[in-house]
Amino acid sequence: MSTPAGAAEPTLHRFASFDGAQLVWRELGAGRPVVLIHGFVSNALTNWIRYGHAKTVADKGFRVIMPDLRGHGDSAQPHDAAAYPPDVLAMDGAALIEHLGLTDYDLGGYSLGAHTAVRMVLRGATPARLITAGMGLDGIENLKTRDEVYETAFDLDRSVDKRSAAGKARIFMRQTGSDPVALRGVWRSSVRTDPAELSAISQPLLAICGAQDTDHREGAERLAAAVPHGSFAEIPGNHMSAVADRALGRTIADWLAS
């Protein structure tokens, strides 16, 4: 099922992933496909549609495909630990590409979505171009450096300071209606990437990061330098506000259209 040409509103679609889990993606626009993956504790509506990024990209002549990751949004949120094998998000991404029959497409993501996009390429996905937003080399290498923050946020019986990283993560969980059990499964499924592997990424890569994103700003430049054809673009904001800034959609759209 595809988006009608010129559709003004995103359309919703479902498919069964490699293990039968029912996952959702949304589409907007018509033209060359670009798959955009949202960040952790978020969803396609929040990251790509609410702030106009999908429309900005679609208006440049692209078919924007935006999955809700397993454990997020309208996709399946199983509680069984077996539903979250290592690299499950990259496996789901490959299943979506296969389901849609995409052969000539672009791929990108924000934060965990960027991590997932890189893992997809390292596992054999062949987009023509790759976008990593809100993510640096350290996060690509090993997300688990933030285990304490998220494991604390997932444990709803544990009190946390609302101003702490774990407290802010828990607030965002409530805002997005996220299931902490499912999110724990997603988080624990991440795998380490050897930075040396990145030299095998032959696609042009655009690393985008907020100027005030203290966790990822320097790492994003290092990520761009770690691949043969990488470039870096800075946009306003920190890790949470940059994804809401119109500059994110414009930067992605302009690069893809260039």
Side-chain angles (χ1 to χ4, degrees):
M1 187 174 185
S2 61
T3 304
E9 296 295 331
T11 56
L12 185 145
H13 313 262
R14 299 180 185 274
F15 80 110
S17 191
F18 67 94
D19 62 348
Q22 292 294 308
L23 304 183
V24 161
W25 84 91
R26 288 174 169 81
E27 284 196 24
L28 183 67
R32 178 181 175 79
V34 54
V35 179
L36 295 178
I37 307 174
H38 66 79
F40 192 49
V41 198
S42 192
N43 50 60
L45 283 171
T46 300
N47 271 187
W48 302 119
I49 297 170
R50 178 173 298 166
Y51 303 107
H53 307 318
K55 184 178 186 304
T56 298
V57 176
D59 284 348
K60 289 281 190 176
F62 291 89
R63 173 189 175 192
V64 187
I65 300 163
M66 301 160 282
D68 276 354
L69 293 170
R70 178 182 300 240
H72 294 76
D74 292 317
S75 285
Q77 300 184 24
H79 284 193
D80 185 353
Y84 301 96
D87 248 357
V88 67
L89 300 184
M91 296 161 70
D92 285 335
L96 176 61
I97 298 299
E98 181 179 7
H99 175 78
L100 293 171
L102 302 182
T103 56
D104 187 16
Y105 65 97
D106 300 313
L107 175 65
Y110 192 88
S111 194
L112 177 64
H115 182 277
T116 301
V118 169
R119 291 301 309 166
M120 287 173 63
V121 170
L122 293 177
R123 291 175 60 93
T126 57
R129 293 171 291 186
L130 184 60
I131 298 163
T132 59
M135 177 56 66
L137 182 60
D138 292 345
I140 294 293
E141 179 181 0
N142 187 14
L143 285 177
K144 294 184 181 297
T145 56
R146 294 182 65 81
D147 271 357
E148 184 177 354
V149 169
Y150 285 113
E151 291 292 348
T152 300
F154 300 145
D155 185 356
L156 301 184
D157 292 330
R158 187 189 306 188
S159 61
V160 297
D161 185 339
K162 292 181 180 179
R163 297 166 296 181
S164 68
K168 292 176 181 177
R170 191 175 291 177
I171 291 170
F172 193 39
M173 283 168 51
R174 294 196 188 101
Q175 290 174 341
T176 57
S178 299
D179 182 330
V181 176
L183 290 179
R184 178 180 278 117
V186 170
W187 186 254
R188 292 179 176 178
S189 74
S190 70
V191 301
R192 185 182 182 279
T193 297
D194 184 338
E197 295 179 76
L198 300 178
S199 63
I201 294 179
S202 60
Q203 292 90 344
L205 180 150
L206 177 64
I208 307 170
C209 200
Q212 288 78 47
D213 188 342
T214 55
D215 286 336
H216 302 290
R217 170 61 178 76
E218 291 184 10
E221 287 195 88
R222 292 169 54 216
L223 174 57
V227 300
H229 306 291
S231 56
F232 171 76
E234 182 179 272
I235 62 175
N238 56 36
H239 192 67
M240 294 301 291
S241 63
V243 76
D245 196 290
R246 297 279 182 173
L248 176 61
R250 289 196 302 267
T251 302
I252 292 172
D254 290 346
W255 188 71
L256 290 175
S258 64

